[in-house]
Amino acid sequence: MHRVPRTLRRAAAAATVALLATAVGCAPQPEDKASAAPSGSASQSCAKGKPATKTSGKLTIATDEPAYEPWFEDDKPANGKGFESAVAYAVAGRLGYGKSAVVWQRVPFNKAFAPGEKTFDFDVNQVSISAERKKAVDFSSGYYDVRQAVIALKDGKAARATSIADLKGLKLGAQVGTTSLDYISDVVKPSQQAAAYSKNDEAVSALRNGQVDAIVTDLPTAFYVTSAQVTDAKVVGQFENQGGAPEQFGLVLDKGSGLTPCVTAAVDTLRKDGTLAKLEKQWLSDAVDAPVLK
């Protein structure tokens, strides 16, 4: 996957701070300077090796293939570049695992939160926390507050939409198993069935080829798609979050994993120390303001 020019990532940094909900994190730590275990009552039980990981002395982190920008860069999760790669290494550092102790694994999006024992310690892949998914897996606390957005070709009829009602008669698409697809069925409630794709790239191709009028993705991905993948497309608008709490991405763990409280403590610490916001500014600065569809 082609990289977004760094100037694009930096161009809207100020707007990003206003748009994106504040979160916290820190950049990847060098192996010999990995952060200490989270402070407080969880410190002792969350020391490196307590609880055990899938491989002794290693922390196995999973994500999908390909790993899309701006969440990862150059489809190389291990390089520490991209928002989620940086977050993963920040969490690893809080758990006492330096960069060389992190092992990456590729797991399909839907399989990450399907029932059954996992082969990874945690998965990071834009997985939204939901009550339904919590029946099968554990989640950390949220590391990113997200909104869903609509993408359409600039000369298409969907590009003129200014409200949810304007989308109801259109052919819409999204990746299967995502909250993007849920927003189509539950919020837009279109008159024709939405197209579901196994990969987000397939949805993007369908938009490019005119097989759908518009697709739905999270907002940062929407700005990446329109700046690097389909340059004759535009972000039509974003949806308001549904319900009282914002939609959040969380790290996915085995149901009942002993690591869950430790990973959650790490994310909470990163939120409190003010540095996840720095990672958002660094890696997600393409996510500038977009009209809200009501």
Side-chain angles (χ1 to χ4, degrees), residues 165-290:
D166 293 338
L167 301 172
K168 290 185 180 294
L170 304 178
K171 181 67 174 179
L172 307 175
Q175 184 178 352
V176 69
T178 62
T179 51
S180 301
L181 191 59
D182 291 340
Y183 265 71
I184 295 175
S185 59
D186 299 340
V187 178
V188 179
K189 300 177 182 178
S191 57
Q192 50 186 315
Q193 185 174 358
Y197 301 94
S198 61
K199 295 281 187 181
N200 198 55
D201 274 355
E202 294 176 10
V204 171
S205 293
L207 175 66
R208 183 188 294 115
N209 297 331
Q211 296 168 297
V212 292
D213 296 311
I215 61 174
V216 178
T217 71
D218 58 79
L219 189 59
T221 297
F223 278 97
Y224 170 69
V225 169
T226 55
S227 65
Q229 291 184 296
V230 189
T231 56
D232 58 342
K234 61 177 285 187
V235 177
V236 177
Q238 60 180 307
F239 295 108
E240 292 181 305
N241 284 318
Q242 302 300 301
E247 178 185 350
Q248 292 184 314
F249 291 157
L251 305 176
V252 183
L253 300 95
D254 262 321
K255 187 68 176 174
S257 171
L259 277 172
T260 301
C262 302
V263 173
T264 291
V267 172
D268 289 345
T269 298
L270 296 172
R271 179 177 291 277
K272 290 174 184 176
D273 71 18
T275 52
L276 260 180
K278 295 178 183 177
L279 292 181
E280 285 193 23
K281 184 175 180 180
Q282 179 181 2
W283 297 108
L284 303 181
S285 61
D286 284 341
V288 295
D289 199 11

Side-chain angles (χ1 to χ4, degrees), residues 72-88:
F72 299 88
E73 192 167 285
D74 298 330
D75 192 22
K76 296 177 180 178
N79 65 14
K81 298 178 180 180
F83 179 71
E84 288 191 329
S85 181
V87 168

Side-chain angles (χ1 to χ4, degrees), residues 48-221:
K48 183 177 178 179
K50 297 180 181 181
T53 53
K54 296 294 182 181
T55 301
S56 180
K58 301 289 185 180
L59 186 69
T60 303
I61 304 176
T63 196
D64 202 354
E65 186 173 27
Y68 299 110
E69 296 193 26
W71 311 105
F72 299 88
E73 192 167 285
D74 298 330
D75 192 22
K76 296 177 180 178
N79 65 14
K81 298 178 180 180
F83 179 71
E84 288 191 329
S85 181
V87 168
Y89 281 117
V91 171
R94 293 298 308 174
L95 297 176
Y97 294 87
K99 191 170 183 178
S100 65
V102 172
V103 177
W104 284 92
Q105 189 179 99
R106 298 301 188 120
V107 173
F109 179 81
N110 285 334
K111 190 174 180 181
F113 51 86
E117 185 176 357
K118 307 307 175 192
T119 57
F120 51 78
D121 293 309
F122 69 77
D123 179 278
V124 55
N125 189 30
Q126 307 115 67
V127 181
S128 294
I129 302 168
S130 72
E132 183 64 27
R133 289 171 179 172
K134 281 184 176 180
K135 294 176 183 179
V137 295
D138 281 356
F139 282 95
S140 70
S141 53
Y143 61 87
Y144 176 68
D145 296 354
V146 64
R147 285 194 175 191
Q148 299 298 317
V150 178
I151 311 168
L153 295 179
K154 293 176 182 177
D155 59 356
K157 53 186 176 181
R160 300 188 292 274
T162 58
S163 67
I164 292 173
D166 293 338
L167 301 172
K168 290 185 180 294
L170 304 178
K171 181 67 174 179
L172 307 175
Q175 184 178 352
V176 69
T178 62
T179 51
S180 301
L181 191 59
D182 291 340
Y183 265 71
I184 295 175
S185 59
D186 299 340
V187 178
V188 179
K189 300 177 182 178
S191 57
Q192 50 186 315
Q193 185 174 358
Y197 301 94
S198 61
K199 295 281 187 181
N200 198 55
D201 274 355
E202 294 176 10
V204 171
S205 293
L207 175 66
R208 183 188 294 115
N209 297 331
Q211 296 168 297
V212 292
D213 296 311
I215 61 174
V216 178
T217 71
D218 58 79
L219 189 59
T221 297

